[in-house]
Amino acid sequence: MVAFRINSREVTFDGDDGTPLLWVIRDALGLTGTKYGCGAGECGACTVHVNGRARKACMMPVSAVAGRSVVTIEGLASSDDVLHPVQEAWLEHDVPQCGYCQAGQIMAAAEFLQRNPNPTDEDIDKDIDVLCRCGTYPRIRKAIHRAAELMGEQE
């Protein structure tokens, strides 16, 4: 049995401890915001936070999160009424086209901005490694810069 926190809630998983975290999140816990994209850790659609760090859930066995805290896109906002600044910026800049990668993009950007609160376009291009098949990268960059401004205003 693997016990961990997900979106501030204590959970346990009684299945195979080698099961990828992605499938535990989606199938066992019913949180479907985290997407399956490639299953090889390349596309980033499955990005979640584990103890505050962006991780690809398709490549991480659930045993690796034992005793840790996991945050998915469903748990990023502080409440139903207060979105995370990255989510606000995503809406403001109308970032999604098809939307499939957006949960991974948002999760990667939120963690990235904790490490780099004033990024350049080059920083964003280097560090945000979530694939967008629709090519909305210019809007993603604008939204990350806007989210950095919003986060700065909260301090």
Side-chain angles (χ1 to χ4, degrees):
M1 177 182 344
V2 178
F4 61 100
R5 277 181 88 68
I6 190 158
N7 301 335
S8 301
R9 177 179 71 138
E10 297 290 334
V11 296
T12 57
F13 177 70
D14 292 328
D16 180 350
D17 66 359
T19 303
L21 177 60
L22 173 63
W23 300 121
V24 173
I25 291 168
R26 289 184 59 80
D27 295 344
L29 301 175
L31 299 169
T32 58
T34 304
K35 303 298 184 201
Y36 172 81
C38 67
E42 297 294 326
C43 76
C46 65
T47 302
V48 297
H49 296 172
V50 178
N51 282 0
R53 297 301 309 252
R55 297 287 182 245
K56 304 215 173 103
C58 73
M59 298 302 295
M60 180 174 275
V62 68
S63 61
V65 299
R68 295 182 177 192
S69 175
V70 176
V71 177
T72 68
I73 190 70
E74 292 92 345
L76 188 62
S78 59
S79 73
D80 289 340
D81 297 330
V82 181
L83 294 176
H84 186 280
V86 174
Q87 292 169 311
E88 287 181 38
W90 242 246
L91 292 171
E92 185 178 316
H93 286 278
D94 198 24
V95 173
Q97 188 166 323
C98 83
Y100 198 82
C101 69
Q102 296 310 302
Q105 296 280 4
I106 289 168
M107 296 303 289
E111 188 264 349
F112 167 71
L113 288 171
Q114 290 299 316
R115 293 183 287 110
N116 188 345
N118 297 301
T120 64
D121 283 347
E122 293 77 24
D123 294 334
I124 294 167
D125 292 347
K126 180 178 151 252
D127 286 355
I128 302 295
D129 63 349
V130 179
L131 248 155
C132 175
R133 293 179 181 173
C134 299
T136 65
Y137 298 111
R139 292 192 309 236
I140 290 168
R141 275 188 223 100
K142 285 180 185 175
I144 290 172
H145 287 299
R146 176 64 178 139
E149 291 172 9
L150 292 170
M151 292 170 83
E153 291 170 6
Q154 291 179 345
E155 293 177 350

